[in-house]
Amino acid sequence: MGYINIHTHSPMPNRNISVRSYQPGELEELDVSENTHRSAGIHPWYIENVDKSFNQLIEALEEDSLLLIGECGLDHVWGASQDLQESVFRKHIELSEKYEKPLLIHCVKAYNEVIAIFKEMQPKQTWIIHGFSGSQQLMEQLLDLGFYLSFGKAITNVKSKAYEVFKDVPLDRIFLETDDSPLNIRKIYEKAAEIKQIDVTELETCLVENFNKLFG
Ligand SMILES: [Zn+2]
């Protein structure tokens, strides 16, 4: 069946289903034969040449060469000014709705804002929070609103918040990812299955169902 890596920045030369994330500017030099799905978005750490970046993003959306939009989002610790981050994030949301692509969100200490924007804009597309690491209460709030949560390397650390909250997250609302870590996605699946006390194959089945539900 294979593992699904919903968010990575590196090429994955194997049978796994991976969604590799690009900055829009990188799409120009892309080897389209590469056997991965693609996503693109303006990361809140690297907001520059906004008009050009959005044109490149729109071009890719017009060609229908992206599986989803992102990563994009809000980061209250690093990156551009909050006003700029928010206007760029809102533009991604508009594109996600227009082109009917789910959104993969980078959110650091900005959950109140992301939730407020979600309630205000009432998107039809699914929002996936990548690298989720929050409280149980926040998890429940996000799940109630229809979000999916993606977990990565942090769940391999038993002292992390991600590890704690992963114990309780429902399997039908999650994805797994390597992001920028060199870990193999298989390691994350093994750890996730161990925390959930299920077989890795059962976890594979769940994530394939989640993937098919979102991406047909
Ligand atoms: Zn990332």
Side-chain angles (χ1 to χ4, degrees):
M1 202 174 303
Y3 306 115
I4 295 170
N5 187 351
I6 202 74
H7 178 60
T8 175
H9 295 276
S10 23
M12 306 291 282
N14 51 30
R15 292 186 305 113
N16 301 330
I17 298 174
S18 318
V19 184
R20 190 173 171 195
S21 179
Y22 297 87
Q23 285 281 106
E26 299 172 317
L27 292 169
E28 277 178 322
E29 290 144 45
L30 208 58
D31 176 5
V32 286
S33 65
E34 194 186 293
N35 187 26
T36 47
H37 294 288
R38 285 184 287 280
S39 69
I42 305 172
H43 194 295
W45 294 355
Y46 309 114
I47 299 182
E48 51 192 19
N49 302 324
V50 173
D51 292 344
K52 187 175 176 207
S53 294
F54 273 121
N55 286 339
Q56 288 163 325
L57 180 56
I58 289 165
E59 204 175 302
L61 289 164
E62 286 288 337
E63 289 167 0
D64 202 13
S65 62
L66 302 179
L67 186 74
L68 50 85
I69 295 176
E71 59 186 301
C72 59
L74 300 178
D75 191 319
H76 279 187
V77 179
W78 295 102
S81 75
Q82 299 309 309
D83 285 353
L84 181 57
Q85 286 193 24
E86 186 171 326
S87 73
V88 167
F89 180 44
R90 283 174 181 271
K91 176 85 178 155
H92 284 90
I93 298 164
E94 287 164 13
L95 293 174
S96 155
E97 293 297 299
K98 177 173 177 192
Y99 290 94
E100 302 184 329
K101 301 286 181 192
L103 208 56
L104 187 112
I105 295 170
H106 169 108
C107 181
V108 175
K109 299 202 187 301
Y111 281 101
N112 289 344
E113 290 78 2
V114 167
I115 288 169
I117 292 171
F118 181 92
K119 287 179 174 170
E120 177 205 317
M121 295 183 81
Q122 301 188 2
K124 292 197 175 60
Q125 293 302 308
T126 302
W127 289 16
I128 305 163
I129 300 280
H130 105 82
F132 182 72
S133 169
S135 67
Q136 167 129 14
Q137 190 195 3
L138 178 61
M139 170 191 85
E140 282 166 6
Q141 198 181 357
L142 291 166
L143 294 178
D144 283 347
L145 291 169
F147 283 65
Y148 280 62
L149 306 176
S150 175
F151 294 84
K153 193 178 100 182
I155 63 165
T156 64
N157 174 4
V158 295
K159 290 181 184 144
S160 72
K161 265 202 273 182
Y163 177 91
E164 271 313 306
V165 80
F166 191 78
K167 290 180 189 165
D168 298 313
V169 73
L171 288 169
D172 64 352
R173 298 293 286 284
I174 61 163
F175 287 107
L176 297 173
E177 63 177 52
T178 56
D179 195 10
D180 56 3
S181 96
L183 271 185
N184 191 309
I185 189 69
R186 180 171 54 84
K187 289 276 174 222
I188 307 228
Y189 266 76
E190 285 168 1
K191 189 67 202 181
E194 184 193 312
I195 298 169
K196 288 298 197 189
Q197 301 181 308
I198 59 174
D199 286 343
V200 173
T201 48
E202 192 183 329
L203 187 61
E204 278 181 61
T205 307
C206 288
L207 267 64
V208 167
E209 282 171 9
N210 295 350
F211 188 85
N212 288 341
K213 204 168 160 198
L214 254 65
F215 304 106

